[in-house]
């Protein structure tokens, strides 16, 4: 009895620690979207160069997703999380010492390598600590940390840049990450709570080549690629859009951005509950509905005549986009065997970070091509949401289980 109580307490401690780490992750990662405004002025950068600074991080980040997932399955989530957090915190600090466009490119490239292992490792830590029936809610809580991190990064970055400058902003966030790694060192101790059969499955590693034969793996990666085009495109360029096109100052922009982020936070938590309670085996319908809502709202946002309407459509977009995103991110934890979760999640995140590498650069190029107009860039995002809709129509989870998926690669 005491052992069960101890395991219950430990899994929520782990969830809380990972929640805080994800918030720090997004503070470090997304602050560049605000900081790039004064950086572009200081280094005399155009929109294409600005987009490249944002995108280069995702190039190395994407590559490391694949390696990080495999490392997590091989060496365990704890080691990979600690090393990744330390590395990206160091490169966050170094970002504040950048002296040129090229130095920023190099530092952001290394930043991506350091951070790339964390998403898959954190998902594996959840799978090691929560039973399948609770993983949708646990993953939604973890995903909600990204919305809080996105909210805080905009508000805090905008405020700190105007008071202490963009360089000191990165120094402060990097130190915060190092302090968090000390806390994780002492308290992050994932333990498998599934039954004996699952533990035995965990010991059975599936070769990566065989894992690639699983149709669901590719479907998840493609869907996550599509929704991430929109998520990272808006995260990267909405601050600049609100400042340059809608003529808000940095502080006002940061404050008003809290509204869509707060709506997204509620959407993520609600989605996790819906998945676990009502949509087991029918998750693809949530993905389709969410993607349609997002695509329509991106179009409306591009043509909104006022700031209140822009924020309204952005908020509804967050409901749809995060409905699809949260569902996609939960599926590997429910339908893949424990010994493959880290690698599978890493592969899926690889698709998402490819989108992160592509989307900001394409949008920057399109905005430059149309002389500062964002309309064509928003149309690009709207069309990207067709990808998860079409792919979700082919997804079959109703009769799937870890055992069935495992058998597909035998």
């Amino acid at each position: 009895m005491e052992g069960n109580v101890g395991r219950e307490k430990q899994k929520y401690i782990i969830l809380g620690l990972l929640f805080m780490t994800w918030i720090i992750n997004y503070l470090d990662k997304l602050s560049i979207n605000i900081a790039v405004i004064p950086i572009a002025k200081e280094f005399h950068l155009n929109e294409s160069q600005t987009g490249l600074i944002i995108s280069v991080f995702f190039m190395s980040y994407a590559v490391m997703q694949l390696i990080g997932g495999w490392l997590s399955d091989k060496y365990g989530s704890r080691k990979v999380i600690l090393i990744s957090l330390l590395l990206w915190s160091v490169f966050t600090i170094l970002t504040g010492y950048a002296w040129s466009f090229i130095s920023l490119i190099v530092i952001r490239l290394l930043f991506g390598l350091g951070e790339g292992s964390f998403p898959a490792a954190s998902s594996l830590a959840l799978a090691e600590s929560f039973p399948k029936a609770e993983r949708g809610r646990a993953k939604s809580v973890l995903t909600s940390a990204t919305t809080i991190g996105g909210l805080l990064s905009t508000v805090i970055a905008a405020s700190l840049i105007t008071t202490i400058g963009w360089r000191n902003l990165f120094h402060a966030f990097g130190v915060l990450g190092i302090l968090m790694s000390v806390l994780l060192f002492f308290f992050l101790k994932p333990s498998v709570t599934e039954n004996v059969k699952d533990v035995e499955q965990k010991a059975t590693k599936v070769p990566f080549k065989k894992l690639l034969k699983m149709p669901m793996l590719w479907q998840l990666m493609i869907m996550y690629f599509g929704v991430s085009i929109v998520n990272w495109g808006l995260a990267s360029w909405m601050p600049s859009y609100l400042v340059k096109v809608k003529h808000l100052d940095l502080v006002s922009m940061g404050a008003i951005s809290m509204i869509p982020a707060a709506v997204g936070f509620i959407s993520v938590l609600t989605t996790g509950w819906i998945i676990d309670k009502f949509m087991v085996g029918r998750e693809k319908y949530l993905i389709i509905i969410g993607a349609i809502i997002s695509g329509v709202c991106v179009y409306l946002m591009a043509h909104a005549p006022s700031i209140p309407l822009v924020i309204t459509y952005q908020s509804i977009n967050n409901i749809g986009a995060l409905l699809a995103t949260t569902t996609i991110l939960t599926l590997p934890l429910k339908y893949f065997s424990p010994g493959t979760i880290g690698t599978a999640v890493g592969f899926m995140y690889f698709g998402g970070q490819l989108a992160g590498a592509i989307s900001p650069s394409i949008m920057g190029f399109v905005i430059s091509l149309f002389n500062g107009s964002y309309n064509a860039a928003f149309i690009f995002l709207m069309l990207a949401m067709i990808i998860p809709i079409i792919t979700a129509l082919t997804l079959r989870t109703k009769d799937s289980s870890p055992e069935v998926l495992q058998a597909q690669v035998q």
Side-chain angles (χ1 to χ4, degrees):
M1 184 69 175
E2 291 182 2
N4 291 335
V5 173
R7 284 195 295 270
E8 284 291 307
K9 181 180 179 181
Q10 181 64 17
K11 72 182 183 183
Y12 289 117
I13 290 174
I14 289 170
L15 182 59
L17 290 171
L18 292 176
F19 184 88
M20 290 188 291
T21 308
W22 266 105
I23 290 176
I24 293 172
N25 175 279
Y26 266 60
L27 287 176
D28 295 347
K29 180 162 53 183
L30 294 187
S31 292
I32 192 68
N33 298 332
I34 313 299
V36 79
I37 297 173
I39 288 173
K41 290 182 179 179
E42 182 174 332
F43 295 148
H44 307 291
L45 307 179
N46 58 35
E47 282 81 0
S48 295
Q49 291 172 313
T50 300
L52 184 58
I53 288 174
I54 297 172
S55 290
V56 72
F57 162 84
F58 292 100
M59 296 174 187
S60 56
Y61 192 50
V63 173
M64 201 61 196
Q65 295 286 338
L66 295 174
I67 301 172
W70 176 81
L71 289 173
S72 299
D73 280 333
K74 185 174 179 63
Y75 297 107
S77 60
R78 182 177 184 272
K79 291 180 181 178
V80 175
I81 289 171
L82 287 172
I83 293 172
S84 179
L85 176 54
L86 275 173
L87 287 175
W88 97 58
S89 297
V90 169
F91 288 117
T92 299
I93 293 173
L94 290 177
T95 302
Y97 290 105
W99 62 93
S100 66
F101 171 67
I102 297 299
S103 67
L104 266 173
I105 292 293
V106 173
I107 292 170
R108 295 291 295 177
L109 191 71
L110 295 173
F111 193 151
L113 289 175
E115 190 175 314
S117 299
F118 175 70
S122 65
S123 292
L124 180 58
L126 280 188
E128 291 172 337
S129 304
F130 284 83
K132 291 186 184 71
E134 299 176 10
R135 289 178 186 172
R137 282 162 285 180
K139 184 62 179 178
S140 70
V141 170
L142 208 58
T143 304
S144 72
T146 67
T147 65
I148 294 178
L151 184 157
L152 292 178
S153 68
T154 302
V155 175
I156 296 175
S159 299
L160 290 182
I161 287 170
T162 58
T163 55
I164 64 175
W166 67 270
R167 295 183 184 275
N168 288 328
L169 164 77
F170 288 110
H171 296 158
F173 284 170
V175 170
L176 182 62
I178 292 174
L179 294 176
M180 188 65 199
S181 68
V182 175
L183 191 62
L184 288 173
F185 179 81
F186 289 104
F187 293 101
L188 180 62
K189 298 176 181 178
S191 59
V192 177
T193 61
E194 294 285 31
N195 56 37
V196 175
K197 185 176 181 180
D198 283 332
V199 176
E200 290 174 352
Q201 284 180 337
K202 180 174 174 61
T204 304
K205 306 298 181 183
V206 177
F208 187 66
K209 288 183 179 180
K210 289 188 175 181
L211 196 62
L212 291 177
K213 297 179 182 179
M214 301 170 72
M216 185 182 287
L217 182 71
W218 289 94
Q219 290 166 327
L220 291 175
M221 190 269 280
I222 292 170
M223 289 189 295
Y224 194 53
F225 172 83
V227 298
S228 295
I229 287 282
V230 177
N231 291 338
W232 289 123
L234 290 178
S236 301
W237 284 101
M238 276 305 291
S240 296
Y241 175 74
L242 291 173
V243 170
K244 294 182 179 180
V245 178
K246 298 301 181 180
H247 308 295
L248 292 175
D249 59 77
L250 277 178
V251 176
S252 298
M253 179 275 299
I256 206 169
S257 296
M258 294 175 65
I259 299 172
V263 172
F265 174 75
I266 297 171
S267 175
V268 170
L269 293 180
T270 304
T271 300
W273 179 75
I274 292 172
I275 291 171
D276 280 344
K277 292 293 185 180
F278 304 109
M279 299 302 291
V280 175
R282 298 178 295 168
E283 296 90 349
K284 69 179 181 181
Y285 298 112
L286 294 178
I287 298 171
I288 294 170
I289 292 169
I292 291 173
I293 292 172
S294 176
V296 171
C297 286
V298 167
Y299 175 82
L300 294 174
M301 189 165 54
H303 296 84
S306 66
I307 292 174
L309 278 177
V310 170
I311 299 303
T312 298
Y313 292 135
Q314 187 182 2
S315 298
I316 301 174
N317 165 78
N318 279 5
I319 293 175
L322 290 170
L323 177 64
T325 300
T326 305
T327 304
I328 294 168
L329 291 176
T330 301
L331 288 175
L333 278 65
K334 283 183 167 289
Y335 294 103
F336 284 77
S337 62
T340 65
I341 288 175
T343 305
V345 171
F347 187 80
M348 182 183 67
Y349 273 115
F350 172 75
Q353 306 321 314
L354 277 182
I358 293 170
S359 187
S361 290
I362 290 180
M363 290 186 69
F365 173 75
V366 171
I367 292 167
S368 295
L369 186 66
F370 286 86
N371 299 316
S373 173
Y374 282 68
N375 288 343
F378 281 128
I379 291 174
F380 161 69
L381 297 182
M382 179 186 69
L383 294 175
M385 270 302 182
I386 296 175
I387 298 173
I389 293 172
I390 294 175
T391 308
L393 290 173
T394 69
L395 187 65
R396 297 181 61 186
T397 57
K398 190 172 184 180
D399 301 317
S400 297
S401 67
E403 292 79 10
V404 171
L405 293 175
Q406 184 87 0
Q408 292 179 8
V409 298
Q410 300 302 319

